[in-house]
């Protein structure tokens, strides 16, 4: 039995085709997840895609002490649960809790990871906490081509333990996705927006994540001026709770339901994102994309170099980029860049099962 621990929305989307391929080969899978107050996106996605799972443990929130306590409790819960099964190996996106449990129980660990450093160079002082706590425990690491192998060697892995694939992660679930205008309209219908106006979609940074140093304020500081200068419909996809966004920004629409947000990203006139996955998805569709993330990762840098995304560091830079990039499409460039990427799910599954 192959154990998958899915603790982020991205891990759900990324592993769905891999899990299906493994199950098609007659192998059984066991899927665990986590939830928590203000953090239900993972389990909502699993339910949306009809993926059976078992919930064990919670998200600890922003406080380090709470994170540690939640992690310890989740490790205990996972240990008791997976001990009931005959687990061949663990597969995850560097889930700290699952790595610790698997390593302690002698279960081989296969980690996927596209962001070992909060830096697009090779400054090892910027190694992320998840990387430090998981990659050295790996029996194998599987990663996208944009991240240099040498970074993983510095985490004490040998060359034969490192497997690369030729695409950026979101392409695995976007390659067969077809955006639909009617789906966009259905998503926005409850908000009674004038769809003749430009649409700006916004996603916050993962400011509660352990790899983010601080709550980066430039997006929030610029929100009012963005609305006034563009006259656009602004839709925010909340990262955590939504109540404070509604209270602070009464002039925007805060997405409440769990929907297929790729329709929004594909038809938006501009996407402003403080994370990584949705930024890449917007770039994939040729939507003009501004990154307000507090750092630039390797895959961020790749998309910036390809002319698909811009990174801003101040409120003034953000406002200038919004006015310049609104409704400017990059469809041809996106097709050229992402169309050249090969998604070899069979090769990835082979690297997992070998």
């Amino acid at each position: 039995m192959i154990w998958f621990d899915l603790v982020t929305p991205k891990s759900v989307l990324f592993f769905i085709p891999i899990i299906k391929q493994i199950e098609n080969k007659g192998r059984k899978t066991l899927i665990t997840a986590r939830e928590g107050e203000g953090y239900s996106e993972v389990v909502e996605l699993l339910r949306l895609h009809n993926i059976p799972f078992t919930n064990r443990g919670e998200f600890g929130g922003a406080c380090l002490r709470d994170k540690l306590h939640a992690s310890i409790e989740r490790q205990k819960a996972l240990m008791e649960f997976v001990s009931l099964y005959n687990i061949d190996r663990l597969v995850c996106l560097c889930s700290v809790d699952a790595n610790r449990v698997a390593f302690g129980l002698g279960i081989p660990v296969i980690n996927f990871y596209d962001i070992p450093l909060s830096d697009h160079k090779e400054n090892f002082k910027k190694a992320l906490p998840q990387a430090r706590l998981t990659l050295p425990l790996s029996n194998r690491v599987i990663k996208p081509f944009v991240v240099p192998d040498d970074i993983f060697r510095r985490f004490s892995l040998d060359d034969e333990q490192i497997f690369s694939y030729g695409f950026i992660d979101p392409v695995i679930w976007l390659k067969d996705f077809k955006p639909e205008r009617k789906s966009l309209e259905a998503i926005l219908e409850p908000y009674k927006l004038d769809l003749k106006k430009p649409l700006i979609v916004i996603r916050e940074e993962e400011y509660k994540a352990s790899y983010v140093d601080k709550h980066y304020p430039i997006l929030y500081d610029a929100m009012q001026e963005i609305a006034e200068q563009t006259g656009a419909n602004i839709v925010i996809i909340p990262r955590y709770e939504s109540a404070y966004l509604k209270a602070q920004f009464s002039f925007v629409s805060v997405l409440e339901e769990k929907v297929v947000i790729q329709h929004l990203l594909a038809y938006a006139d501009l996407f402003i994102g403080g994370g990584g996955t949705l930024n890449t998805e917007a770039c994939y569709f040729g939507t003009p994309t501004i990154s307000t993330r507090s750092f630039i990762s390797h895959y961020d840098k790749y998309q910036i170099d390809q002319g698909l995304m811009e990174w801003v560091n101040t409120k003034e830079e953000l406002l200038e980029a919004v006015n310049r990039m609104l409704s400017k499409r990059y469809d041809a460039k996106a097709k050229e860049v992402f169309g050249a990427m090969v998604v070899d799910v069979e090769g990835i599954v082979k690297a997992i099962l070998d």
Side-chain angles (χ1 to χ4, degrees), residues 27-167:
R27 302 293 295 271
K28 292 183 178 180
T29 61
L30 179 71
I31 300 167
T32 53
R34 67 175 182 182
E35 206 168 357
E37 186 177 351
Y39 190 81
S40 60
E41 197 169 3
V42 172
V43 296
E44 288 173 357
L45 261 179
L46 286 164
R47 291 176 182 130
L48 183 68
H49 290 276
N50 297 312
I51 305 297
F53 69 96
T54 300
N55 205 21
R56 283 294 181 274
E58 297 183 351
F59 172 65
C63 171
L64 288 179
R65 183 182 177 87
D66 291 343
K67 282 182 184 296
L68 178 60
H69 183 269
S71 179
I72 292 170
E73 292 301 314
R74 183 165 195 262
Q75 287 175 40
K76 289 165 60 179
L78 285 175
M79 178 188 66
E80 292 169 0
F81 179 65
V82 301
S83 295
L84 301 175
Y85 298 87
N86 183 19
I87 305 294
D88 295 328
R89 64 209 66 193
L90 164 71
V91 181
C92 64
L93 292 180
C94 283
S95 163
V96 172
D97 300 332
N99 265 252
R100 181 64 189 91
V101 170
F103 183 78
L105 294 177
I107 298 170
V109 176
I110 299 173
N111 277 312
F112 285 71
Y113 215 39
D114 64 353
I115 184 169
L117 313 179
S118 61
D119 185 81
H120 63 274
K121 301 174 184 177
E122 293 188 31
N123 183 353
F124 218 67
K125 293 178 181 178
K126 295 189 176 182
L128 295 182
Q130 288 90 342
R132 293 187 183 278
L133 292 169
T134 58
L135 290 178
L137 304 183
S138 307
N139 293 79
R140 170 163 282 185
V141 165
I142 305 178
K143 55 86 177 177
F145 70 99
V146 293
V147 185
D149 287 3
D150 193 52
I151 291 173
F152 297 93
R153 295 188 190 102
R154 295 186 65 186
F155 278 107
S156 303
L157 295 168
D158 294 327
D159 287 346
E160 61 268 22
Q161 294 176 283
I162 305 169
F163 178 90
S164 294
Y165 48 85
F167 60 92

Side-chain angles (χ1 to χ4, degrees), residues 19-33:
I19 290 169
K20 289 181 178 178
Q21 185 84 323
I22 288 175
E23 291 177 342
N24 286 340
K25 291 181 176 294
R27 302 293 295 271
K28 292 183 178 180
T29 61
L30 179 71
I31 300 167
T32 53

Side-chain angles (χ1 to χ4, degrees), residues 247-268:
Q248 189 171 352
F249 305 112
S250 58
F251 51 90
V252 308
S253 300
V254 179
L255 200 65
E256 292 283 6
E257 307 81 12
K258 191 61 199 171
V259 299
V260 181
I261 57 177
Q262 287 76 20
H263 296 292
L264 274 177
L265 302 177
Y267 286 103

Side-chain angles (χ1 to χ4, degrees), residues 265-280:
L265 302 177
Y267 286 103
D269 294 282
L270 180 69
F271 178 74
I272 306 172
T277 301
L278 267 65
N279 288 26
T280 296

Side-chain angles (χ1 to χ4, degrees), residues 126 143 153 193 214 229 323 337:
K126 295 189 176 182
K143 55 86 177 177
R153 295 188 190 102
L193 302 177
K214 59 184 177 182
Q229 290 180 17
N323 291 321
V337 171

